[in-house]
Amino acid sequence: MKHGKKYVESAKLFDKTKLYDTEEAMGLTAQMKTAKFDETVEIHVRLGVDSRHADQQVRGAVVLPNGTGKTIRTLVICKENKVKEAQDAGADFVGAEDLVEKIQKENWLDFDVVIASPDMMGLVGRLGKVLGPRGLMPSPKAGTVTPDIAKAVTEAKAGKIEYRLDKTNIIHCPIGKVSFGATKLQENLETLMNAIVKAKPASAKGQYIKSCVVATTMGPGIKLNPNKFGA
């Protein structure tokens, strides 16, 4: 695969064979502007678990202290008595059957997070085939199925992200934008990694964090030292 000039220049900034501490890695990442837009910084964590086993699933949610740099559009599905609460908290779309029908009939997906009250999950279940593959299905583990609608909306807007294993036992998560600078990126990274370490399944054996790579949208990946995360 042929890379562009800026990608090649960025790759010269670091040693591909070295395992970096978070502080140094974030400093390098903040220098890597390879596109005209403000690139997202993502982390890719390979875990020593087997996602095929139910007792080795790793999934949860955490509020990043500095947000993600993205404006989050929230959709709330709730009953009439919760509508004002959701609107006052800043929800972008609030409704029930009307929104479910719009998604089903129009394939409308102009939102980033779906929050539902527990008493509406029977209705939301109809959207499983649409929302599930896109990672948008609300769940209690992610805090998006909850009676406290206002809190869920506020946290989503503040930069709450969900982390979960894919089929190859890797977690992929955004931790901010290049423009955040090294300090804010490091704070977000460490908050996420602490949450992933705490979510370690009791049945996981051996080294939990196998590898950890951070990269910008268009840039090369920098390897972090997985031993620094205490798992």
Side-chain angles (χ1 to χ4, degrees):
M1 182 179 172
K2 195 170 187 315
H3 293 293
K5 184 179 173 184
K6 286 185 178 179
Y7 180 102
V8 173
E9 288 300 313
S10 292
K12 290 178 183 176
L13 291 172
F14 66 96
D15 181 351
K16 286 183 179 179
T17 63
K18 181 179 172 181
L19 296 176
Y20 287 85
D21 286 345
T22 55
E23 188 175 354
E24 194 176 0
M26 292 303 101
L28 289 166
T29 302
Q31 296 175 46
M32 288 188 190
K33 185 164 176 57
T34 59
K36 290 180 180 177
F37 59 92
D38 190 7
E39 293 172 73
T40 296
V41 179
E42 289 193 344
I43 190 160
H44 310 278
V45 187
R46 183 185 295 279
L47 298 182
V49 296
D50 189 340
S51 61
R52 292 173 299 179
H53 299 294
D55 63 348
Q56 291 193 37
Q57 286 292 331
V58 178
R59 182 179 181 182
V62 63
V63 178
L64 299 179
N66 302 299
T68 61
K70 181 182 177 183
T71 301
I72 302 298
R73 300 165 298 174
T74 52
L75 180 150
V76 174
I77 296 176
C78 61
K79 291 190 174 172
E80 196 67 38
N81 63 331
K82 293 275 186 181
V83 169
K84 188 173 187 306
E85 179 187 335
Q87 290 172 337
D88 289 349
D92 298 273
F93 309 101
V94 186
E97 285 88 351
D98 54 331
L99 293 181
V100 171
E101 196 171 299
K102 186 176 173 71
I103 293 167
Q104 285 179 316
K105 291 186 176 177
E106 301 173 27
N107 201 31
W108 174 69
L109 293 162
D110 293 339
F111 46 85
D112 306 295
V113 175
V114 182
I115 295 161
S117 53
D119 54 6
M120 297 300 278
M121 283 311 290
L123 180 66
V124 177
R126 297 181 203 165
L127 301 173
K129 287 182 180 177
V130 181
L131 302 181
R134 294 172 174 83
L136 291 170
M137 195 68 182
S139 79
K141 276 192 175 179
T144 46
V145 176
T146 173
D148 195 342
I149 296 293
K151 182 184 177 187
V153 172
T154 303
E155 287 184 343
K157 292 280 186 183
K160 186 175 189 176
I161 59 165
E162 187 178 353
Y163 57 87
R164 64 165 83 179
L165 278 181
D166 67 11
K167 289 177 182 176
T168 60
N169 304 316
I170 298 175
I171 290 173
H172 309 273
C173 273
I175 56 167
K177 299 284 187 179
V178 171
S179 61
F180 279 23
T183 303
K184 286 185 175 180
L185 286 172
Q186 185 179 351
E187 287 170 357
N188 279 358
L189 168 68
E190 291 179 348
T191 299
L192 172 62
M193 291 305 297
N194 286 340
I196 292 173
V197 169
K198 282 181 183 173
K200 180 181 179 179
S203 57
K205 303 291 183 238
Q207 187 175 357
Y208 179 51
I209 296 175
K210 293 281 193 182
S211 67
C212 196
V213 176
V214 66
T216 59
T217 308
M218 309 292 285
I222 300 173
K223 294 175 185 175
L224 302 182
N225 185 349
N227 297 324
K228 294 289 183 180
F229 300 111

